[in-house]
Amino acid sequence: MNEKEIAQRRTFAIISHPDAGKTTLTEKLLLFGGAIQVAGAVKSNKIKKHATSDFMEIERQRGISVATSVMSFQYNDTLINLLDTPGHKDFAEDTYRTLTAVDSVILVIDSVNGVEDQTRKLVEVCRMRDTPIIVFVNKMDRDGKFPFDLLDEIEKELKLSLHPLSWPINMGKEFKGVYNLHDHSLNLFTPNQKSTEENTLPIEDINDSVLDAKVGERDANQLREDVELLSGVYGDLDVKAYLDGKVSPVFFGSAVNNFGVKELLDTFIKVAPTPQGRDTDKRHVNPTENKFTGFIFKIHANLDPRHRDRIAFLRVCSGRFARNTYYKHTRMGKDVRFSNPYSFMAREKDVIEEAYPGDVVGLFDTGNFKIGDTLTEGEMMQFTGIPTFSPEIFKELVNKDPMKTKQLEKGVQQLTDEGVAQLFTQHGGNRKIIGCVGELQFEVIQYRLLQEYGASCAFQPLNFYKACWITGDKKAIEDFARFKQANIMEDKDGNLVYLAQSEWFLNTERQNNQKIEFHFTSEFKTALKN
Ligand code: G4P
């Protein structure tokens, strides 16, 4: 049985608006896990914001980033699987999908900038599955927003219920450290902390004069006032409410100074959920089930034309995954096995013999997988909850070389299987529209179609605002599709999609077509074979 393995594992992601400190925090967590020895090792993997059209740079980054897509390390008795999410907003869709493969997240907020654009979107995605969130307010060494104001902003803007577990003493140049509200200890701030030990001392009674001696009378009094206010509002953390995604514990710290990170990690280990079950189109799968199941949440193509292989990322959901064993690829209805599955234990890619719920396994793929595909020991079912979101930019695909039509079609199919972009084909027609989250993706597609498939294409900008998947009364949909012909597309699975020109159009159509439901996300409702 795999209960012991499950209890030891925590699978999560760090999310943030770019520049809030996700990479820095990741690096510090890896230092704690002994997975890396030097600071700076993770830093170089980031797709920097200026790399907008530097393809060599993208290629280089992608090459490295596959190794750090999942970082597994041991901390005390816990095996931590940290799934990386791309920082660049143009790859946001990749991040959304990665969030389907984690059991909880740590949200990093920049104390100076507060809630930012990307933060909002990411939290919305977490909320869809009630993913438990721990908040880390970073950059306390800078003059940021006042903590109470910041909590207020986070609660209002992100609609999160917060529960501070630590409280900062001043900020910026005057930052003295944090007081741990849970175990009543003072954690004193030392800039540029190199070691992984924190400078902590217990202060059971907040009126103890030791506090004044350590942080000065003014800050000590302010802390007393704050703590009194806090204790009136918050009691002990309701761990169940956190696990249900209803309450988010909050920590304050400074990632770059390695401050507050250990406190965060120790609490995370204690409260964060162990690998959870997942829903399929047939039933709920529990991690403790004996039989193996898992799904593909990410596909990473090798941009080096000499190595065309792709790596499919499999999240194990139940049972035990074993090397060289036949599993059912339920969408294709065929048996597949993997002789070189690899794990992502930090530093080296290692071929693994087995994996357990919560683990992520890298599978070499020659084009059999697409996002959302399910592997089982024979049961015909498909994991759900891995939706596609409406793209933000739409462009018509123009074939520039009719001699290479086949290559272009194949390339577009494969790249969209990988989830690089979404493909919409005109309902009853042949017009092809590509939808992406950011401009950068169009450049990547154009480049890859040429490099990998020898197909040359151009993109014609289109003025659409959103894609909505439509379901409902059959007759109403048929009429609507006829009436709105130019706006009705099919996604890759043949689901009908309405492309709205503007919010106004969308609202009008919703009002005029009460028998039709307009969805902003889609599940992968692929029909099962067999
Ligand atoms: P990201 O992955 O979320 O995009 O953010 P990243 O960790 O790269 O951090 C963004 C910038 O914020 C970095 O500075 C980083 O050093 C800085 N930073 C992270 N944590 C803290 C903190 O606690 N306090 C302060 N003051 N700064 C912090 P940069 O100048 O963009 O990069 P670098 O030159 O330092 O590498």
Side-chain angles (χ1 to χ4, degrees):
M1 288 299 284
N2 57 9
E3 267 106 359
K4 192 168 149 260
E5 303 287 347
I6 294 170
Q8 283 175 346
R9 283 165 165 77
R10 302 286 183 282
T11 301
F12 80 109
I14 303 178
I15 55 175
S16 75
H17 187 88
D19 269 348
K22 180 171 75 74
T23 315
T24 314
L25 180 63
T26 302
E27 183 178 290
K28 301 303 175 193
L29 291 176
L30 293 181
L31 278 170
F32 278 102
I36 53 169
Q37 266 72 43
V38 285
V42 181
K43 198 86 210 163
S44 57
N45 299 337
K46 207 163 99 170
I47 297 185
K48 283 281 179 195
K49 281 124 253 165
H50 60 251
T52 39
S53 55
D54 183 346
F55 295 114
M56 289 319 288
E57 181 63 6
I58 295 172
E59 186 165 347
R60 194 182 69 78
Q61 299 284 6
R62 283 179 58 106
I64 307 167
S65 71
V66 70
T68 57
S69 295
V70 183
M71 291 157 274
S72 299
F73 60 95
Q74 193 89 24
Y75 179 66
N76 298 336
D77 291 331
T78 307
L79 179 75
I80 298 177
N81 295 312
L82 168 51
L83 275 53
D84 192 27
T85 54
H88 200 295
K89 82 164 179 33
D90 285 9
F91 294 105
E93 180 97 22
D94 213 23
T95 301
Y96 302 154
R97 280 191 297 262
T98 298
L99 292 179
T100 66
V102 302
D103 301 297
S104 71
V105 303
I106 292 179
L107 167 65
V108 183
I109 301 265
D110 181 329
S111 70
V112 183
N113 296 331
V115 173
E116 296 170 89
D117 256 11
Q118 278 291 98
T119 333
R120 266 183 218 103
K121 284 195 197 135
L122 291 164
V123 170
E124 262 171 44
V125 175
C126 290
R127 192 168 300 109
M128 288 172 63
R129 291 183 46 236
D130 292 326
T131 308
I133 300 174
I134 293 182
V135 178
F136 182 72
V137 178
N138 190 29
K139 306 196 185 180
M140 290 309 297
D141 59 321
R142 295 187 55 197
D143 286 316
K145 302 189 177 187
F146 287 110
F148 281 111
D149 293 344
L150 195 59
L151 293 197
D152 220 33
E153 178 179 325
I154 300 172
E155 292 211 323
K156 284 213 179 87
E157 298 238 356
L158 302 179
K159 297 182 191 68
L160 290 178
S161 234
L162 301 179
H163 189 129
L165 289 183
S166 76
W167 197 253
I169 303 165
N170 221 325
M171 65 171 92
K173 285 199 176 63
E174 296 293 314
F175 183 49
K176 305 281 170 54
V178 294
Y179 181 69
N180 189 313
L181 299 160
H182 174 65
D183 59 16
H184 308 284
S185 58
L186 180 68
N187 188 359
L188 288 166
F189 176 63
T190 332
N192 297 316
Q193 176 88 310
K194 290 283 184 293
S195 93
T196 46
E197 277 311 304
E198 298 194 340
N199 186 2
T200 317
L201 78 157
I203 298 202
E204 272 308 320
D205 178 2
I206 191 120
N207 292 316
D208 195 325
S209 60
V210 178
L211 185 63
D212 302 75
K214 290 289 178 189
V215 304
E217 196 184 326
R218 192 197 51 178
D219 285 333
N221 284 334
Q222 182 65 49
L223 178 68
R224 287 176 187 124
E225 227 176 84
D226 290 351
V227 168
E228 195 184 328
L229 205 62
L230 290 164
S231 58
V233 182
Y234 308 100
D236 283 344
L237 175 71
D238 179 349
V239 176
K240 175 155 186 323
Y242 156 68
L243 291 174
D244 290 342
K246 302 277 184 281
V247 166
S248 295
V250 183
F251 290 93
F252 292 83
S254 169
V256 81
N257 289 296
N258 205 359
F259 181 78
V261 179
K262 183 171 188 297
E263 193 175 32
L264 171 74
L265 183 58
D266 285 339
T267 307
F268 171 80
I269 299 293
K270 244 188 267 165
V271 300
T274 55
Q276 299 293 296
R278 293 283 187 284
D279 287 331
T280 72
D281 56 351
K282 298 279 155 57
R283 62 183 185 85
H284 183 79
V285 171
N286 283 313
T288 49
E289 290 178 20
N290 281 335
K291 290 200 169 151
F292 157 75
T293 62
F295 67 90
I296 305 294
F297 65 93
K298 179 185 174 110
I299 295 174
H300 194 111
N302 198 332
L303 291 196
D304 181 346
R306 287 164 301 172
H307 303 279
R308 280 291 187 74
D309 49 352
R310 310 197 297 179
I311 295 158
F313 290 70
L314 171 86
R315 147 105 193 193
V316 179
C317 292
S318 66
R320 169 179 166 271
F321 170 91
R323 185 163 93 97
N324 268 329
T325 307
Y326 277 104
Y327 293 119
K328 182 74 84 191
H329 184 312
T330 60
R331 181 177 57 86
M332 295 177 94
K334 73 175 188 183
D335 293 329
V336 288
R337 72 174 171 161
F338 305 92
S339 46
N340 292 311
Y342 66 78
S343 79
F344 298 88
M345 286 305 273
R347 276 179 285 192
E348 292 298 322
K349 288 192 297 217
D350 292 323
V351 171
I352 52 145
E353 295 299 329
E354 57 178 18
Y356 291 93
D359 286 345
V360 174
V361 180
L363 304 174
F364 285 106
D365 174 40
T366 49
N368 282 329
F369 283 124
K370 65 183 199 175
I371 308 281
D373 277 348
T374 299
L375 293 180
T376 71
E377 288 193 24
E379 194 173 346
M380 294 305 286
M381 58 188 181
Q382 185 96 17
F383 279 98
T384 55
I386 311 145
T388 336
F389 296 84
S390 174
E392 288 172 20
I393 309 171
F394 299 86
K395 293 189 184 190
E396 182 157 356
L397 180 71
V398 182
N399 185 356
K400 291 221 304 192
D401 183 356
M403 302 293 285
K404 297 278 171 64
T405 304
K406 268 202 170 143
Q407 285 87 335
L408 182 72
E409 300 231 330
K410 183 172 175 222
V412 168
Q413 285 296 332
Q414 291 206 342
L415 294 187
T416 48
D417 276 356
E418 268 175 41
V420 175
Q422 289 179 57
L423 172 67
F424 300 104
T425 310
Q426 190 171 22
H427 181 52
N430 212 6
R431 210 172 149 215
K432 287 193 168 40
I433 292 176
I434 303 282
C436 290
V437 177
E439 285 291 343
L440 179 56
Q441 282 158 308
F442 287 102
E443 296 175 33
V444 171
I445 293 169
Q446 205 172 24
Y447 173 80
R448 288 187 57 191
L449 283 173
L450 191 62
Q451 293 297 312
E452 296 172 36
Y453 301 90
S456 153
C457 74
F459 290 109
Q460 186 81 37
L462 295 172
N463 215 356
F464 288 120
Y465 150 76
K466 243 187 182 83
C468 296
W469 283 261
I470 49 174
T471 57
D473 181 75
K474 201 164 165 254
K475 170 87 173 49
I477 288 194
E478 272 171 18
D479 289 346
F480 183 64
R482 207 172 319 113
F483 183 57
K484 284 270 153 195
Q485 210 176 7
N487 299 61
I488 304 293
M489 305 283 147
E490 285 176 25
D491 72 6
K492 285 186 75 177
D493 300 324
N495 300 311
L496 284 186
V497 176
Y498 163 62
L499 298 187
Q501 292 97 316
S502 68
E503 196 172 359
W504 184 85
F505 268 100
L506 178 59
N507 288 336
T508 312
E509 297 304 349
R510 286 175 88 173
Q511 267 173 5
N512 293 345
N513 296 279
Q514 304 273 342
K515 288 184 173 169
I516 300 178
E517 283 172 48
F518 294 75
H519 310 274
F520 291 115
T521 67
S522 130
E523 291 284 350
F524 285 83
K525 297 181 221 151
T526 336
L528 295 179
K529 290 192 182 140
N530 283 357

